[in-house]
Amino acid sequence: MSVTQNVITLKDEADLRKVLEKNTTVAALYFYADWAHQCKNIGEVIDELGQKYPQTPFFKIEAENFPDISEAFEISAVPTVIFVKGNKALDRVDGVNAARIAQLASKYSGASAGSAAAGDSAIRASQATLSAEVKQDLNIRLKELINRAPVMVFIKGTPSQPRCGFSKQVINILNDHSVQYGYFDILTDEEVRQGLKEYSEWPTYPQLYIKGELIGGLDIIKEMIEGGEFDNSIPDSEKLNNKA
Ligand SMILES: N[C@@H](CCC(=O)N[C@@H](CS)C(=O)NCC(=O)O)C(=O)O
């Protein structure tokens, strides 16, 4: 794919400053890292958008090489794309979301809604490849999280400050039954929150896992307690009573 002149890999901060000083142009700042493979596809999307919207300057900024700029734009992860006018951030896309980046590029280029809707095959293809890769990465991460402790609970909030009544009840049950457990607060990570629902085919939280296997949510746990199966399902190593 040929790269147009308006797609600039930043080498010198001054080049960016010149554009930021102009208060009339909307520019897209794409923060990336060479080691983050999910950035590769977004990089291609940026090249494509650069061709499509030649009047918009697109800056590719290697975040770690430009710590001051990255800090000024509060970059905490890559890829991140920020649309700026002057020094003002108008919109940002944190993470891998080619469709949203394309939508905003269209919006700020002044293109009609129709052309945004038409989209580009390359952007769609890139989004598809990206989705597959990202999904694979997410699944690896979810598997690791599920196996982080022999008894692992995914809740809203923390055990000391649950932020949902269902999560609170599960924590109370685990404590009452003297179970040692690990937890993950799904409110801190939307990707995990949505991804785990699909991965485990379980639509709600809390979710309890024992040795990497989904047990279920609060209702299931309550049923297991009524049926006398709950305590038996907890590995001996995780029963605090056994650890005197
Ligand atoms: N009956 C469910 C109750 C759990 C539930 O309904 N959770 C909701 C509200 S906290 C939930 O996680 N919704 C999906 C979400 O918030 O992402 C259970 O047995 O666990």
Side-chain angles (χ1 to χ4, degrees):
M1 189 185 303
S2 70
V3 174
T4 44
Q5 279 184 344
N6 58 316
V7 179
I8 304 138
T9 300
L10 193 66
K11 299 267 185 279
D12 182 346
E13 262 184 68
D15 294 339
L16 178 63
R17 228 175 291 125
K18 269 183 236 154
V19 171
L20 295 184
E21 276 162 12
K22 273 195 237 159
N23 235 0
T24 48
T25 320
V26 175
L29 313 184
Y30 159 53
F31 292 87
Y32 70 98
D34 268 342
W35 47 262
H37 79 257
Q38 62 270 38
C39 289
K40 186 173 170 285
N41 300 62
I42 294 294
E44 286 167 10
V45 168
I46 296 292
D47 291 340
E48 175 111 9
L49 292 171
Q51 282 190 328
K52 192 171 176 193
Y53 304 113
Q55 69 280 34
T56 304
F58 288 84
F59 283 94
K60 293 181 171 181
I61 304 170
E62 192 165 2
E64 287 165 357
N65 288 351
F66 295 97
D68 293 345
I69 304 174
S70 300
E71 199 183 317
F73 287 99
E74 297 177 358
I75 304 302
S76 59
V78 287
T80 293
V81 176
I82 303 184
F83 290 84
V84 294
K85 191 171 184 183
N87 276 314
K88 190 167 175 278
L90 302 172
D91 253 312
R92 65 187 287 151
V93 183
D94 289 281
V96 175
N97 189 344
R100 179 74 181 141
I101 296 165
Q103 204 180 30
L104 291 174
S106 165
K107 176 178 165 186
Y108 291 117
S109 74
S112 71
S115 83
D120 269 327
S121 58
I123 289 170
R124 278 201 298 275
S126 170
Q127 177 78 2
T129 323
L130 206 56
S131 303
E133 281 180 15
V134 166
K135 204 163 180 174
Q136 201 186 7
D137 284 355
L138 179 61
N139 285 351
I140 292 168
R141 195 170 157 226
L142 293 174
K143 199 167 174 191
E144 278 169 7
L145 281 177
I146 288 167
N147 286 287
R148 202 184 255 181
V151 178
M152 194 64 201
V153 67
F154 290 77
I155 52 173
K156 292 186 177 175
T158 63
S160 54
Q161 276 190 316
R163 290 175 58 190
C164 155
F166 301 117
S167 293
K168 188 175 178 167
Q169 286 187 62
V170 164
I171 294 302
N172 287 343
I173 289 172
L174 292 172
N175 290 341
D176 290 348
H177 288 252
S178 303
V179 179
Q180 173 170 276
Y181 60 89
Y183 78 94
F184 186 87
D185 176 2
I186 51 107
L187 295 179
T188 62
D189 194 321
E190 192 59 21
E191 206 177 33
V192 171
R193 178 178 181 174
Q194 301 310 338
L196 191 57
K197 290 178 188 173
E198 199 180 321
Y199 182 87
S200 296
E201 297 179 1
W202 195 268
T204 54
Y205 294 97
Q207 290 184 13
L208 181 70
Y209 293 80
I210 297 180
K211 291 190 168 169
E213 295 290 324
L214 175 70
I215 299 299
L218 179 63
D219 293 344
I220 300 283
I221 297 168
K222 283 182 174 171
E223 281 169 25
M224 287 174 76
I225 293 171
E226 274 173 32
E229 304 151 47
F230 183 69
D231 287 319
N232 291 339
S233 71
I234 304 296
D236 283 344
S237 60
E238 307 313 300
K239 291 178 184 166
L240 291 168
N241 289 345
N242 284 357
K243 296 198 165 181

